[in-house]
Amino acid sequence: MDQKQKIIKLYMEGESKRGIAKITKKSRNTVAKYIQEFEESKLEDVRQLPIPESVMKPPTYKKRIGKSKVLTEEIKNKLRKFITDNEWKRNHYMKKQQMKIVDMHEKLLDAGYSISYTTVRNFVNQETAKSREVYIRRYCEPGYEVEFDWGEVKLEIDGKLKAYSLAVFTLPYSNYRFARLYQSESQVCVLDVHTKFIEHVDFIPAVFVYDNMRTVVKSFIGNEKTITDSMVNLSNYYQFKIRLCQTRKGNEKGHVERSVEFIRRKAFASQYSFTSLEAAQDHLLQTLNKLNLRDHHEHEQKHIELMRKEKEKGQKVTMTPFDSADLIECLIDKYSTVVINQNHYSVPEGHVGKYIKAKAGAETIKLFIDGCLEAEHQRNWGVHQWKMDLYHYLDTFKKKKGAIAQSECLRQAPSQIKKLYNDHYIGKEKEFIELLFYIRENNKLERVLDAVKQLNTIRTGYVSTESILFVCEQSTPVKADGFYRDETAHQSESNMKAYANMFNQEEEVAHYG
């Protein structure tokens, strides 16, 4: 037991001050002092005062604060200047060039001052602690708000490593996440992902939150910010409001800031190589489905279930999706292509020198001639690339048959078409062009490929345009792997035999069934 507590205990038991002094071996003045403090404390109510009931606690002594001999006002001012410089660098995108405490200490030593690192550290920590930011806990109302942000992810698509943009939406209440990959962060991509998000969740939050990205904020004039025309049109169409974060205050949309890193890690940390961008999109969608089926850390419900509650309180979607494409007027050049953002896209021949309308979306390019959709291409976000459709040039190939072998059109054609040409039509370009006309007019590529397989079973090298067309025009295709022989199959086999006899074939027609 502490001596002070022992003295008061003896006093309460009726012991005299002189007796207490003898027992505790303390001076009578000390005993009297403790007893007096005890009696006075019983008369004072300290429950509403910022002091403790300390009469029963051991005595404490004030620590002597001596005058600092090393940390002079001159050194303090220098350290404050270093701290101010660091703050300026943070505000001017030079965060990585700030001085650390060890750099400040070395700077003082180089200037001839004798001071320890610990002294410098304690003073800097004390100064910076004065200006630490206070954060306000948010209340998230269901269906009221959604946050948007971009992130970057590096993927290997078809063997090529490239950086892609990850567009992410997060609903703060449910923490439900939606994301999509893009090859650009341009305005049309921002509009496109908004339409896809609204179509996905099937309701419109009242407020969309952004940082000060260029595709949303057109200009700064003092503290006034001007929204871009495209975002104004989008918000007017869907009837939502736009809220912008303060400059360099990403914590004001902290849910989506965290979601960008979280989704990127969960989706692409272990798998980053894909055969195509569409395969990467599918993998991202599957990952999001798994994440949204997890339980919310506070509400103890699945994110997707909480999102459905938000949907009940949010604005219903009563309009068709917003058209996010840019309308461009283009001139068809001598290659029967139009140039959009330094990339060429083919147009059906016969319109060279004519101006047409093009709708350039985030994923597709649609070409209109006299108000009719005549061609559609997947958008290319590179530069000086060519997107050419083989069927757009068939009339020209009839006049320039030799050009097809080394044409860019054939190089970009489907792999089945290229294989068909390389296996059966080298040196027979006229027949090949006739077959392409048939495929384009009747949309029977799969039927043609089946006919080629059937003809190859008769005899290798027996494939020709005339024989392919004959097989394709049969009412019922012959199944090479079937075992059921009906009247139609029997007649088809007889036709094949007769056709083989016309060309004096020695090989016997293959029997099916």
Side-chain angles (χ1 to χ4, degrees):
M1 184 182 296
D2 184 79
Q3 289 293 329
K4 180 179 180 182
Q5 295 172 335
K6 187 175 181 180
I7 290 171
I8 294 174
K9 184 175 183 294
L10 292 173
Y11 171 71
M12 294 178 68
E13 291 175 353
E15 191 72 38
S16 67
K17 295 179 182 179
R18 184 184 297 273
I20 294 172
K22 288 183 178 180
I23 294 171
T24 60
K25 297 182 180 181
K26 295 287 183 181
S27 69
R28 281 181 289 174
N29 291 338
T30 300
V31 171
K33 175 185 173 184
Y34 287 163
I35 293 174
Q36 183 181 356
E37 287 179 354
F38 174 68
E39 293 293 342
E40 290 177 354
S41 69
K42 291 193 292 184
L43 302 176
E44 184 179 7
D45 187 359
V46 298
R47 289 176 297 176
Q48 305 298 328
L49 298 175
I51 58 176
E53 183 66 69
S54 58
V55 66
M56 298 298 290
K57 293 182 180 180
T60 58
Y61 303 94
K62 291 184 179 180
K63 185 178 180 181
R64 189 176 74 85
I65 303 176
K67 184 178 179 180
S68 177
K69 298 180 180 179
V70 178
L71 190 63
T72 62
E73 285 299 320
E74 183 181 1
I75 293 178
K76 289 180 181 180
N77 291 334
K78 286 184 176 294
L79 291 173
R80 291 189 181 106
K81 178 65 168 56
F82 295 151
I83 295 170
T84 304
D85 290 344
N86 279 350
E87 183 178 356
W88 184 89
K89 290 175 182 177
R90 286 194 299 271
N91 295 334
H92 290 78
Y93 308 100
M94 300 171 65
K95 183 178 180 180
K96 295 183 179 180
Q97 294 176 238
Q98 296 182 94
M99 290 181 69
K100 293 186 177 181
I101 297 177
V102 65
D103 302 321
M104 299 178 185
H105 179 236
E106 291 176 357
K107 200 77 174 175
L108 293 175
L109 295 180
D110 292 341
Y113 297 100
S114 178
I115 188 171
S116 69
Y117 171 79
T118 304
T119 304
V120 173
R121 182 199 61 197
N122 293 340
F123 177 78
V124 172
N125 288 340
Q126 179 182 352
E127 288 291 309
T128 53
K130 295 177 182 178
S131 59
R132 285 184 179 174
E133 187 176 1
V134 175
Y135 293 91
I136 307 298
R137 180 172 173 80
R138 285 183 59 186
Y139 166 73
C140 303
E141 184 177 344
Y144 176 73
E145 200 170 67
V146 66
E147 300 171 0
F148 173 76
D149 201 8
W150 286 104
E152 184 182 276
V153 57
K154 290 188 177 180
L155 301 176
E156 187 180 89
I157 304 295
D158 196 20
K160 296 180 181 178
L161 189 63
K162 182 181 174 182
Y164 291 85
S165 296
L166 182 67
V168 179
F169 281 98
T170 302
L171 294 165
Y173 172 76
S174 62
N175 213 25
Y176 184 89
R177 301 176 175 99
F178 173 84
R180 192 164 180 84
L181 291 168
Y182 287 90
Q183 298 185 61
S184 170
E185 295 182 12
S186 60
Q187 188 74 69
V188 68
C189 295
V190 172
L191 299 178
D192 182 75
V193 74
H194 277 72
T195 58
K196 284 182 168 56
F197 166 73
I198 292 174
E199 188 176 4
H200 175 77
V201 298
D202 198 28
F203 78 96
I204 306 171
V207 178
F208 281 62
V209 184
Y210 310 91
D211 56 21
N212 299 284
M213 58 184 70
R214 292 185 177 274
T215 50
V216 177
V217 180
K218 180 166 57 176
S219 62
F220 290 84
I221 302 176
N223 293 326
E224 295 295 325
K225 302 171 185 178
T226 306
I227 308 297
T228 57
D229 297 337
S230 298
M231 289 303 299
V232 170
N233 294 336
L234 182 72
S235 62
N236 289 338
Y237 186 82
Y238 284 116
Q239 292 297 298
F240 64 79
K241 296 179 181 178
I242 293 176
R243 181 171 72 82
L244 300 174
C245 298
Q246 298 183 56
T247 307
R248 294 178 294 276
K249 293 291 182 180
N251 56 287
E252 293 184 5
K253 54 178 182 63
H255 289 85
V256 75
E257 291 281 342
R258 178 75 175 88
S259 293
V260 170
E261 183 272 334
F262 184 69
I263 293 172
R264 177 172 50 206
R265 179 164 48 85
K266 292 297 183 182
F268 302 113
S270 58
Q271 183 177 355
Y272 62 89
S273 181
F274 303 91
T275 56
S276 64
L277 184 59
E278 289 73 21
Q281 296 277 25
D282 292 339
H283 175 72
L284 175 61
L285 179 61
Q286 293 173 11
T287 303
L288 289 171
N289 290 338
K290 293 179 182 178
L291 296 178
N292 289 326
L293 287 172
R294 292 183 176 182
D295 288 338
H296 193 282
H297 64 285
E298 288 184 357
H299 302 296
E300 296 182 353
Q301 284 183 275
K302 295 185 185 335
H303 299 295
I304 191 170
E305 294 174 357
L306 294 171
M307 186 273 286
R308 294 189 182 115
K309 291 184 179 179
E310 295 196 77
K311 181 179 176 180
E312 295 174 359
K313 296 190 176 183
Q315 177 187 342
K316 294 182 179 179
V317 181
T318 58
M319 64 287 290
T320 59
F322 182 79
D323 188 1
S324 58
D326 294 327
L327 186 62
I328 306 170
E329 189 174 40
C330 309
L331 176 65
I332 302 176
D333 59 20
K334 64 180 182 180
Y335 296 105
S336 192
T337 64
V338 294
V339 180
I340 301 175
N341 291 349
Q342 303 183 61
N343 292 310
H344 291 254
Y345 301 90
S346 68
V347 180
E349 55 200 337
H351 302 283
V352 173
K354 188 175 182 178
Y355 281 93
I356 66 170
K357 300 288 186 180
K359 272 194 165 182
E363 297 176 345
T364 59
I365 299 289
K366 297 181 179 180
L367 304 175
F368 297 84
I369 300 176
D370 297 330
C372 297
L373 178 62
E374 295 292 341
E376 184 173 348
H377 297 275
Q378 183 179 1
R379 181 158 189 173
N380 198 316
W381 287 98
V383 291
H384 307 302
Q385 303 295 314
W386 294 71
K387 285 285 186 180
M388 306 191 77
D389 190 335
L390 180 65
Y391 299 113
H392 289 169
Y393 298 90
L394 296 186
D395 288 327
T396 302
F397 282 134
K398 286 179 67 176
K399 303 172 185 177
K400 304 178 181 180
K401 301 177 183 61
I404 193 171
Q406 297 181 345
S407 65
E408 180 69 18
C409 306
L410 184 62
R411 189 187 72 83
Q412 295 188 22
S415 57
Q416 302 99 317
I417 295 290
K418 290 190 286 186
K419 187 175 187 307
L420 184 61
Y421 174 78
N422 292 326
D423 291 348
H424 305 288
Y425 282 99
I426 294 179
K428 298 188 291 185
E429 283 74 16
K430 181 178 179 180
E431 289 188 43
F432 183 60
I433 294 169
E434 291 176 1
L435 182 62
L436 292 177
F437 269 106
Y438 176 80
I439 294 173
R440 185 182 70 178
E441 294 168 1
N442 297 278
N443 193 23
K444 288 187 176 182
L445 177 58
E446 294 299 325
R447 185 73 186 94
V448 167
L449 296 176
D450 289 340
V452 171
K453 290 180 181 179
Q454 294 178 31
L455 291 170
N456 278 329
T457 61
I458 298 174
R459 191 183 73 173
T460 304
Y462 183 50
V463 176
S464 67
T465 298
E466 188 175 1
S467 57
I468 290 174
L469 298 184
F470 176 81
V471 175
C472 288
E473 293 305 315
Q474 299 297 312
S475 59
T476 304
V478 179
K479 294 185 179 180
D481 56 348
F483 294 96
Y484 179 75
R485 291 176 56 84
D486 58 8
E487 184 178 352
T488 304
H490 178 74
Q491 183 61 44
S492 297
E493 184 178 317
S494 299
N495 292 342
M496 293 291 291
K497 289 179 179 180
Y499 190 74
N501 292 332
M502 288 172 58
F503 290 87
N504 299 319
Q505 300 296 331
E506 296 180 359
E507 288 81 352
E508 188 174 341
V509 177
H511 292 273
Y512 307 106

